[in-house]
Amino acid sequence: GAQIEVPIGIQCESPDTIKFSFSNLGNINCESLTLTDTRLNKTIDLSEQSSYSFKNEPNEGERFMLHIGNPKAAARIESAKEENTFQAFFHENILEISSSEYILNVNVITLQGVKLVSWQNLNAKSLSKEVQIPAGIYILTVKLNNGENKTKKILIH
């Protein structure tokens, strides 16, 4: 998935005081984002305050914890998986496909658009077939009975 970078600035405000500054926090799609100082048992809401100052002490260890509450992208992915599961694998010349919806049609196509394999009117939730095609990168297209078209890149080596 896509990664979000959060630059963290560290500044010595005085010989014994350090300040963390967080930027790019607005791009994190979550319900809450907090930083906890476990030594002082203090939690700040980073959506309201994007910096934190603390007294530097030796042997800190894992003093700080960043908490990301209910990341929305992950929640969307999980709910989508519950609606329809779809998996496709290619191993030792066997193409295996499984879906919670009925699989109607399967095609294996070269990157140039040439159809090498085509199975129609399958009406099955799983498929395991031997495929003899040369090593390379191919596109697998699968049409499901709910109207969805699934596309996966497969690598044969």
Side-chain angles (χ1 to χ4, degrees), residues 42-84:
K42 181 178 179 183
T43 299
I44 64 161
D45 183 344
L46 292 174
S47 66
E48 295 174 5
Q49 180 181 336
S50 63
S51 64
Y52 176 68
S53 296
F54 59 96
K55 184 174 171 24
N56 185 24
E57 298 175 26
N59 303 318
E60 290 298 320
E62 293 182 359
R63 176 174 174 173
F64 299 96
M65 297 294 290
L66 183 64
H67 302 277
I68 303 171
N70 193 13
K72 293 183 172 109
R76 274 199 306 276
I77 291 167
E78 287 305 315
S79 65
K81 282 184 181 176
E82 291 169 15
E83 292 168 20
N84 177 25

Side-chain angles (χ1 to χ4, degrees), residues 11-32:
Q11 178 182 4
C12 292
E13 293 186 316
S14 67
D16 65 344
T17 303
I18 296 177
K19 178 181 178 181
F20 286 155
S21 297
F22 300 88
S23 55
N24 203 25
L25 295 175
N27 292 331
I28 298 177
N29 192 9
C30 60
E31 289 182 5
S32 63

Side-chain angles (χ1 to χ4, degrees), residues 99-124:
S99 173
S100 58
E101 296 290 330
Y102 283 93
I103 301 163
L104 299 181
N105 305 328
V106 174
N107 296 300
V108 177
I109 303 166
T110 67
L111 293 179
Q112 292 75 30
V114 178
K115 193 180 293 183
L116 298 180
V117 175
S118 182
W119 297 301
Q120 307 296 314
N121 304 313
L122 296 168
N123 292 317

